[in-house]
Amino acid sequence: MDYIRDYAMYASVFGMFSFAWFGWALENPRASWRIYLGIASGIALLVCLTGVYLSVKNWDAPSALNEASSFRDYLISFYAEFVLSGAGAFVLIRLKRKAYVAPWIAFIVGIHFISLKSVFDDPSLWLLAALMVTVSIVAVIVSPKLQVANSAITGIGAGTVLFGFALLGLIRFIAV
């Protein structure tokens, strides 16, 4: 991937979702974790806003999504992720298993990065996919042991992983 605007968008989008996942982790963590989750959310938001600024400043630069087939594949992946996440969350809530909504969504988000590898021609998205899927599985195992909500561990894990990829986007932007 050699598109500077896409690297800036990585920082923006991954930073925004890192902010959101850290926020979701605040649903029911240990009380002593709240301040750190708040700080992590704030830092993720700053990275997001930096990515937004860099994206706007480089809006005319080429993007992998300029190709019609890449943009179409991106939209298919996005809508599939959205529908599967929403449908799964609906079913889990109806089955009175809402504690599993956060891990389910992290799992689907992880899976959707597999298809985005070819859209952006970026093999690092396979690593992101593997890490997000791992977070979703580990959260269900670790959360009961720590006596916190699944969303706490899922949010911390997903927020951290996405924050790392937001920073990677900034580093790649600077390196181009």
Side-chain angles (χ1 to χ4, degrees), residues 111-128:
I111 296 298
H112 111 284
F113 285 122
I114 294 170
S115 65
L116 292 183
K117 181 270 176 200
S118 61
V119 170
F120 291 101
D121 191 26
D122 184 358
S124 76
L125 293 177
W126 281 342
L127 176 61
L128 180 53

Side-chain angles (χ1 to χ4, degrees), residues 10-75:
Y10 272 26
S12 177
V13 172
F14 294 152
M16 177 184 65
F17 284 108
S18 173
F19 167 78
W21 278 104
F22 284 132
W24 200 350
L26 286 164
E27 177 185 7
N28 191 17
R30 290 190 172 165
S32 62
W33 298 358
R34 290 185 197 279
I35 186 71
Y36 301 107
L37 289 170
I39 291 168
S41 277
I43 294 169
L45 181 59
L46 290 175
V47 171
C48 167
L49 294 174
T50 301
V52 168
Y53 172 78
L54 294 173
S55 298
V56 170
K57 293 294 283 183
N58 292 280
W59 198 255
D60 292 331
S63 167
L65 298 179
N66 287 348
E67 292 181 35
S69 63
S70 291
F71 187 65
R72 182 198 67 231
D73 293 347
Y74 170 79
L75 287 177

